[in-house]
Amino acid sequence: MNTHSLKLLLILLTITFPSTQCDDDLVDQICKKTPFYDLCISTLKSNSNGRDVKGLASVMADTMLSNATDTLSYIRAEINRTPDPKIERALAYCAELYIPVVKYNLPQAIDALSKGQFEFAADGISDAAKEADSCEKMISWSQELAALSDRNKLIHNLSDVAVAIVKILLKG
């Protein structure tokens, strides 16, 4: 193999198998443009291999869907556990908010991302944060629901990060 062929092979390998350093650099650059750098880094570092900006946005949206699904399961379990009718009503309200997020908003946003429909994706992701905020307003009076409050804040913050990444795609 001559020198020219070897250089071409190295270039192709570099393109085909990007180094982790490049992935880490991209994640760092992207996360610096989001409102919650540490959350962005912790979410994307382990899931960024070979992904471009669109792929990172998808990872964030998938993470949101996973967290929202877990939150809905948590709410349903708390509804069954609580003897307090006031807490049960607040939880039922939150469940009604999270159901469309899990079944429609985030899956449609993820699909829109894959199709390059970034504005629609950003809207769906933002809707998830709005629903989490509405749930938060309903439960903020209860110390017993502090764990749900933490979950709502995480969904909101993940949404802010995901939307910031999608906005990078809109500019590009």
Side-chain angles (χ1 to χ4, degrees):
M1 186 178 283
N2 65 29
T3 307
H4 181 68
S5 297
L6 186 58
K7 286 180 184 176
L8 182 60
L9 178 63
L10 287 173
I11 290 170
L12 287 174
L13 285 173
T14 303
I15 293 169
T16 307
F17 302 106
S19 72
T20 303
Q21 183 61 42
C22 290
D23 293 338
D24 289 348
D25 290 347
L26 177 62
V27 169
D28 189 59
Q29 287 173 0
I30 295 300
C31 289
K32 284 180 180 173
K33 297 177 182 178
T34 70
F36 300 101
Y37 176 82
D38 291 339
L39 177 62
C40 180
I41 289 291
S42 67
T43 303
L44 295 179
K45 277 287 186 183
S46 61
N47 297 305
S48 66
N49 291 345
R51 296 184 193 270
D52 58 5
V53 177
K54 183 177 166 184
L56 296 177
S58 294
V59 168
M60 193 60 65
D62 289 340
T63 301
M64 281 188 67
L65 178 57
S66 176
N67 276 274
T69 301
D70 288 347
T71 299
L72 180 57
S73 296
Y74 174 82
I75 291 167
R76 287 176 170 158
E78 289 299 300
I79 288 171
N80 292 328
R81 188 189 66 75
T82 188
D84 185 331
K86 187 176 178 186
I87 290 176
E88 185 177 348
R89 280 190 302 277
L91 289 166
Y93 176 80
C94 287
E96 292 301 317
L97 294 170
Y98 270 94
I99 288 168
V101 167
V102 168
K103 288 191 175 191
Y104 306 109
N105 300 60
L106 289 175
Q108 288 173 356
I110 291 165
D111 186 52
L113 267 175
S114 72
K115 294 177 179 174
Q117 300 167 339
F118 302 131
E119 284 189 39
F120 185 80
D123 289 345
I125 292 166
S126 293
D127 285 346
K130 290 173 190 161
E131 301 298 6
D133 292 346
S134 294
C135 173
E136 187 58 30
K137 287 176 187 158
M138 180 58 86
I139 65 160
S140 61
W141 55 270
S142 173
Q143 287 292 74
E144 286 182 55
L145 297 174
L148 178 54
S149 184
D150 291 343
R151 290 168 178 266
N152 286 331
K153 289 173 187 157
L154 177 60
I155 295 293
H156 180 98
N157 294 352
L158 286 168
S159 172
D160 285 352
V161 171
V163 168
I165 296 171
V166 173
K167 284 183 178 178
I168 293 167
L169 291 168
L170 284 167
K171 290 177 186 174

